[in-house]
Amino acid sequence: MAENNVKAASFDVKKLLKDNTMLLILVAVMVLFQILTGALFAPSNVNNIILQNSYVLVLAAGMLLCILTGGNIDLSVGSVVCLVGAIAGKLIVDAHLPIGLSIVICLFIGTLIGAWHGAFIAYLHIPPFITTLSGMLLWRGAALIVLDGLTISPFPQKYLNLFSSYIPEVFFPSLAEKALETTDEGEVTAAAMQAAEKLSSMTLTVTMIVAIAICAVMIVTSLISRKTKTSKGYAVEGAAPFFARLVIITFVVIAAAWKLGHHHGIPTVLILIAIVVAFYTYYTQNTVPGRYLYAIGGNAKAAKLSGVNTDNVMMFAYTNMGFLSAVAALVCVARFNSAAPTAGMSYEMDAIGSCFIGGASAYGGSGTIGGAVVGAIFMGVLNNGMSLMGVDSNWQQAVKGLVLLLAVIFDVVSKQRNKK
């Protein structure tokens, strides 16, 4: 009896390690870069990692839905980002349309482009690779026509505040402006110094309050979800790994908030990312249409025979990808304060790589939004760490390609072992 218990405990540990392999690797890489550079966990650098990879996190959420349907991908997202960004520049900067109206138009155009791809893929059954490859060329050309080869900038400050400012600056704009006051000679005034100290203190307080509130909501919802599943007789993970995960996530959130609180506070784009991640996590894990994505990826014919309208599911996956590409475009033009012809280059590769590195199967049917987030953060930390070390950009591309290949190899080998 004791021997059986030991075996069960050993199995649980192995399963726990296997389920969190990428997360453990991410932690190890972050610690390694911190040791080598001494600057990875600096407040300003933590903020940079979030801002530099915000578009990847948004695109990865949509790309995962496409991959779940059978390992399908969307190669056009970078071009769609460029085109929607160009249209945003024309509407907001050149035509001076209201910002809210311009955002709605951009989101509608992105969704329409996604529906264009989805119609060909779902109802004419043209392979996604071919459809989105043609879209990559088509929409990039359309973006160049809209921009006429020129860069549109700068965007109005009101628009920039939506995606590239910080929460304390949004809630305390007068205090933030006062902290920047200088004399005619360019020296900082005493009143500005006092305002800056007060803003810094308030920034840390607000950031920690928000972080604690997020952790409290996460813990309560996790406990309720676990209790509901248990009452319905569903299988749940053991108590030890469940509470260990909650403790680790809480620690990470509080630590990240502490760092951000010492550098301007929570970026507004982080709120957008949190909404996207929370919504698509709930959609894929707790809704019937979300589970259809996994069913199609597992066995499309069986899913169709079971009554799932596979064409409509494929249509939704690619329409949604177009919508999130438009969201990423709005984030990108705010970050760079410009709409450029070169925008969106290789964005599709970053999104695809994040999903596969985060544990999504190359054959579809498995993967999570949380895993895609871990993959995106891993790629961001890898880029940032190598940049801090002064690694040449060409070598950075080579390393990223190797990491992606190893992630896919790990997935394929794992599936082959499971079949055996």
Side-chain angles (χ1 to χ4, degrees):
M1 188 76 172
E3 184 179 353
N4 291 337
N5 290 337
V6 171
K7 286 183 178 180
S10 177
F11 174 79
D12 289 340
V13 171
K14 288 181 179 179
K15 186 177 184 302
L16 182 63
L17 293 175
K18 183 180 178 181
D19 292 343
N20 297 277
T21 299
M22 201 59 233
L23 186 59
L24 296 174
I25 294 175
L26 172 61
V27 173
V29 169
M30 293 176 72
V31 172
L32 177 63
F33 278 131
Q34 175 62 24
I35 293 172
L36 294 176
T37 65
L40 186 73
F41 294 147
S44 59
N45 196 57
V46 172
N47 178 75
N48 287 336
I49 292 174
I50 293 172
L51 296 180
Q52 290 170 1
N53 297 279
S54 54
Y55 74 90
V56 182
L57 290 162
V58 173
L59 292 176
M63 190 65 71
L64 179 69
L65 269 59
C66 297
I67 292 173
L68 289 176
T69 60
N72 302 308
I73 56 176
D74 189 336
L75 294 174
S76 69
V77 296
S79 298
V80 177
V81 167
C82 184
L83 175 59
V84 174
I87 293 172
K90 285 291 184 180
L91 295 177
I92 298 174
V93 179
D94 291 351
H96 303 289
L97 260 64
I99 293 175
L101 177 62
S102 300
I103 290 175
V104 171
I105 293 174
C106 288
L107 293 176
F108 176 75
I109 291 173
T111 305
L112 199 61
I113 292 173
W116 167 278
H117 294 154
F120 286 111
I121 294 168
Y123 304 122
L124 296 181
H125 303 291
I126 297 176
F129 183 88
I130 301 300
T131 302
T132 57
L133 178 62
S134 67
M136 179 176 69
L137 302 175
L138 172 62
W139 308 125
R140 177 68 63 177
L144 295 176
I145 293 171
V146 172
L147 292 173
D148 196 22
L150 303 175
T151 298
I152 299 177
S153 66
F155 280 73
Q157 190 61 43
K158 287 185 178 180
Y159 175 78
L160 299 180
N161 287 341
L162 294 175
F163 301 103
S164 60
S165 63
Y166 299 86
I167 297 300
E169 295 175 4
V170 173
F171 285 103
F172 313 110
S174 58
L175 195 61
E177 291 177 5
K178 192 172 182 180
L180 299 175
E181 289 181 357
T182 58
T183 63
D184 295 337
E185 291 77 18
E187 296 180 357
V188 180
T189 63
M193 293 178 65
Q194 292 179 355
E197 290 179 2
K198 186 177 180 180
L199 180 62
S200 176
S201 176
M202 294 176 69
T203 296
L204 181 59
T205 302
V206 170
T207 303
M208 296 308 297
I209 290 174
V210 171
I212 292 171
I214 291 173
C215 291
V217 171
M218 177 200 67
I219 291 171
V220 171
T221 54
S222 297
L223 291 172
I224 292 175
S225 176
R226 179 182 174 83
K227 184 178 180 180
T228 302
K229 290 179 180 179
T230 303
S231 64
K232 292 181 179 180
Y234 296 154
V236 295
E237 64 181 328
F242 172 77
F243 287 106
R245 190 180 75 252
L246 285 182
V247 170
I248 292 171
I249 294 175
T250 301
F251 173 78
V252 171
V253 171
I254 296 297
W258 179 261
K259 292 290 184 180
L260 291 174
H262 287 83
H263 185 81
H264 298 300
I266 299 174
T268 51
V269 72
L270 188 59
I271 303 299
L272 172 64
I273 293 171
I275 293 172
V276 169
V277 171
F279 174 80
Y280 285 96
T281 298
Y282 180 83
Y283 179 82
T284 54
Q285 300 297 322
N286 299 95
T287 66
V288 173
R291 302 311 297 178
Y292 286 166
L293 295 165
Y294 290 92
I296 293 175
N299 191 322
K301 291 183 179 179
K304 192 168 186 178
L305 291 172
S306 300
V308 177
N309 191 324
T310 56
D311 291 345
N312 287 349
V313 174
M314 292 293 290
M315 179 69 179
F316 167 77
Y318 282 90
T319 302
N320 175 75
M321 186 73 256
F323 169 76
L324 287 180
S325 296
V327 174
L330 296 173
V331 171
C332 287
V333 294
R335 168 164 169 70
F336 298 115
N337 196 15
S338 65
T342 56
M345 288 292 186
S346 298
Y347 281 15
E348 59 276 353
M349 300 306 169
D350 291 335
I352 294 168
S354 298
C355 293
F356 286 140
I357 291 172
S361 172
Y363 304 106
S366 66
T368 62
I369 296 295
V373 170
V374 171
I377 296 174
F378 179 85
M379 292 188 68
V381 169
L382 199 62
N383 284 332
N384 186 267
M386 289 190 293
S387 297
L388 291 174
M389 292 177 63
V391 177
D392 183 76
S393 60
N394 297 323
W395 280 102
Q396 291 187 30
Q397 292 293 329
V399 171
K400 287 167 63 178
L402 181 61
V403 168
L404 176 58
L405 178 62
L406 291 175
V408 175
I409 290 174
F410 178 79
D411 171 61
V412 172
V413 172
S414 296
K415 285 190 177 297
Q416 290 175 348
R417 287 182 177 177
N418 290 337
K419 287 181 179 179
K420 292 180 181 179

